Amino acid sequence: MIDVRLLRADLEATKAALARKKVSPDEVERAAHLDARRRQLTAQADQLRARVKALSRQVGEARRAGEDATAEALSEESKRAGAELATLEQEAGAVEAQLRDALLRLPNLPAEEAPDGGSEEDNVVVRTVGYDPGRYGPHQRVPHWDIGAQLRILDLERGAKIAGSMFPLFRAQGATLARALCQLALDRNADAYTEVRPPTLVRSSVLEATGQLPKFADDAYHIERDDLWAIPTAEVPLTSMRAGEILAEEELPLRLMAYSPCYRREAGAAGRDTRGLLRVHEFDKVEILALCTRAQATSVHQEILGRAEAVIAELGLAYRVVEICAGDLGQSHARSFDIEVYSPGCDMWLEVSSVSWFSDYQARRASLRYRPTEGGAVRFCDTLNGSALAVPRVWAALVETYRQPDGSVALPECLGPYMRGNPSIRSGS
RNA sequence: GGAGGGAUGGCAGAGCGGCCGAAUGCGAGGCUCUUGAAAAGCCUUGGGAGCGCAAGCUCCCCGUGGGUUCAAAUCCCACUCCCUCCGCCA
């Protein structure tokens, strides 16, 4: 969440910044009023509580001195003050809860560098790598779902039989490829990132820390009996791994990566991009993430983007990097770059990674802090993350890009070691 | 799933319902002494909220949330987590 102090220090600037994310000024105004009210109430309550404590101390003293009548009188007085305090505290508590909820629903401020814009249309293509529309032959202009069916490496019907549509089932070398991609991404980042295998079912508080709750509950799978949520990305458990802790500045940037399955209900996306692997409820992904200081954030952001690009480039896929405009930025994001891979079979750019800087928005929610080396007050960390590799769309682009005129798929050499030495897929295998 | 035990500051570990934000030890930082180091001695050492230009003042936090009480780290209840034993299992 954003720092409440922003609402006090410079309400107009905060409203203006959030307006770029299409937040109505009324909503910001409301939070500011709740904050003012809360401070007023807690100040009053504090004063009263101090009085109750002082009186109680005097009761004890009088008792010990044997002055029972005085003790009784003081006790009565304290009791009255206590009753008054209770109502005040109740009111303050209610306002506090409202404020917290309002604050949790306010999105992060967009970074100044983030381009203006209201929607996807206004996103800015930063660079395009390896894309040459004339380079693709008719054998590559076949969508991956057809290729997958032909080669029997993707069986959407049977996936649907088991779990419903948008739950893909990979078979034979298709399954191996899915796993190979994850292994490749992990290996390429193991030089700097510590591998974690986190739980994939988490508590509500964990989903709240990264911003999915309370606003986007409908997008996540919830297991009611145990009140656990299936993670939509490994960002969720990784961000909360050190929640509530105070790190030493020397530990930063703290780099983590994790392979995990990801679960998304895609509640708002019914009917969009539902063919094949373009949008699925369950998929595998390798996420890389860092906790760092504000001063480190920009370079770490570029580092993560560079690493995510490097794997795509190594796989020989055409891609472009798109900077997300303020109006299209996610709730928790301050600044974000998407990597989109070109799918020749669908003739579409597919988002395969979103590399984002969250400033201290998530850290505030998760209470992720660090102690500065040179002393002084504890500060919130900045958080950043991005997909090092998300399987289904990369899988789709690979199969289409590397399809041969004879219908087989000749995958790039870098996958050989991960494909039991055989990076080519032909029917019957 | 059943039966027990536990949760206190960076760590370890005390804590009759009032004098406890908390003894003591260790660790860490500063200073004194020393050519330097060690040793010794002295001092400091949690987080958060509010008011204030500041010095400072007030309040909250002893796993979390409720309750009892004039007063709760201390008593009661619920929850969470950890440990031990039994059961079950990969």
Side-chain angles (χ1 to χ4, degrees), chain A residues 34-116:
Chain A
L34 284 168
D35 173 53
R37 180 88 185 114
R38 195 210 86 209
R39 276 183 295 158
Q40 189 192 357
L41 286 169
T42 46
Q44 282 174 27
D46 280 4
Q47 259 183 323
L48 245 179
R49 196 177 302 104
R51 186 169 148 70
V52 171
K53 283 187 137 187
L55 284 167
S56 294
R57 205 174 311 122
Q58 288 169 35
V59 172
E61 279 160 14
R63 278 269 149 74
R64 252 167 284 126
E67 297 160 7
D68 284 357
T70 318
E72 209 45 51
L74 287 166
S75 174
E76 278 308 313
E77 200 181 337
S78 175
K79 197 171 190 168
R80 275 196 301 276
E84 205 180 321
L85 176 62
T87 40
L88 250 180
E89 275 181 330
Q90 201 171 7
E91 202 182 336
V95 172
E96 173 103 51
Q98 285 174 48
L99 173 63
R100 184 178 157 72
D101 188 67
L103 244 27
L104 280 176
R105 285 166 192 276
L106 279 184
N108 197 5
L109 305 180
E112 278 178 38
E113 298 85 349
D116 282 320

Side-chain angles (χ1 to χ4, degrees), chain A residues 361-378:
Chain A
Y361 187 85
Q362 293 182 325
R364 219 171 265 285
R365 291 171 162 238
S367 188
L368 276 168
R369 294 173 295 172
Y370 71 94
R371 204 177 294 284
T373 312
E374 77 278 17
V378 175

Side-chain angles (χ1 to χ4, degrees), chain A residues 12 66 68 75 77 99 106 109 141 146 171 207 214 219 262 266-267 283 290 293 299 374 381 383 389 396 413:
Chain A
E12 290 312 313
D68 284 357
S75 174
E77 200 181 337
L99 173 63
L106 279 184
L109 305 180
R141 295 296 187 183
D146 288 340
R171 197 189 86 92
L207 226 43
D219 294 330
C262 302
E266 301 293 353
F283 62 96
T293 66
S299 69
E374 77 278 17
C381 299
T383 59
L389 197 142
E413 280 308 316

Side-chain angles (χ1 to χ4, degrees), chain A residues 18 42 58 106 127-128 144 153 196 259 261 287 334 365 368 385 387 393 398 416:
Chain A
L18 285 174
T42 46
Q58 288 169 35
L106 279 184
R127 58 179 162 271
T128 303
H144 61 274
I153 54 175
V196 173
Y259 151 80
E287 182 80 0
R365 291 171 162 238
L368 276 168
N385 64 51
S387 318
R393 292 176 185 169
L398 273 173

Side-chain angles (χ1 to χ4, degrees), chain A residues 289-305:
Chain A
L289 171 146
L291 310 179
C292 68
T293 66
R294 178 57 51 89
Q296 295 165 336
T298 306
S299 69
V300 173
H301 197 179
Q302 290 304 313
E303 172 196 316
I304 295 176
L305 178 60

Side-chain angles (χ1 to χ4, degrees), chain A residues 182-359:
Chain A
C182 292
Q183 190 63 48
L184 174 79
L186 287 167
D187 284 359
R188 291 299 179 266
N189 293 295
D191 58 311
Y193 289 75
T194 304
E195 183 174 356
V196 173
R197 174 47 248 237
T200 55
L201 296 180
V202 302
R203 301 172 189 286
S204 301
S205 62
V206 171
L207 226 43
E208 193 175 283
T210 25
Q212 284 82 10
L213 291 180
K215 237 174 148 175
F216 304 105
D218 287 348
D219 294 330
Y221 287 98
H222 183 218
I223 295 168
E224 256 179 64
R225 193 217 274 241
D226 299 291
D227 193 19
L228 289 169
W229 301 77
I231 58 169
T233 156
E235 160 193 344
V236 168
L238 286 183
T239 303
S240 284
M241 209 175 127
R242 306 294 296 266
E245 298 185 30
I246 299 175
L247 314 189
E249 185 175 346
E250 295 76 63
E251 278 189 81
L252 306 177
L254 181 73
R255 296 177 172 92
L256 300 170
M257 66 174 174
Y259 151 80
S260 85
C262 302
Y263 300 92
R264 301 184 179 181
R265 292 188 67 235
E266 301 293 353
R272 293 279 300 160
D273 305 332
T274 46
R275 288 293 312 258
L277 296 173
L278 299 182
R279 189 178 294 280
V280 291
H281 288 312
E282 175 179 346
F283 62 96
D284 289 326
K285 179 163 70 63
V286 172
E287 182 80 0
I288 57 183
L289 171 146
L291 310 179
C292 68
T293 66
R294 178 57 51 89
Q296 295 165 336
T298 306
S299 69
V300 173
H301 197 179
Q302 290 304 313
E303 172 196 316
I304 295 176
L305 178 60
R307 282 173 176 270
E309 279 186 71
V311 180
I312 297 300
E314 185 178 358
L315 288 169
L317 297 174
Y319 71 91
R320 64 184 189 185
V321 176
V322 176
E323 172 151 23
I324 306 304
C325 72
D328 195 33
L329 237 23
Q331 137 141 337
S332 310
H333 302 177
R335 196 179 187 197
S336 221
F337 296 94
D338 279 1
I339 298 176
E340 298 180 342
V341 123
Y342 182 68
S343 150
C346 305
D347 190 26
M348 285 173 73
W349 292 95
L350 308 177
E351 179 192 332
V352 292
S353 182
S354 191
V355 181
S356 306
W357 171 49
F358 301 85
S359 61

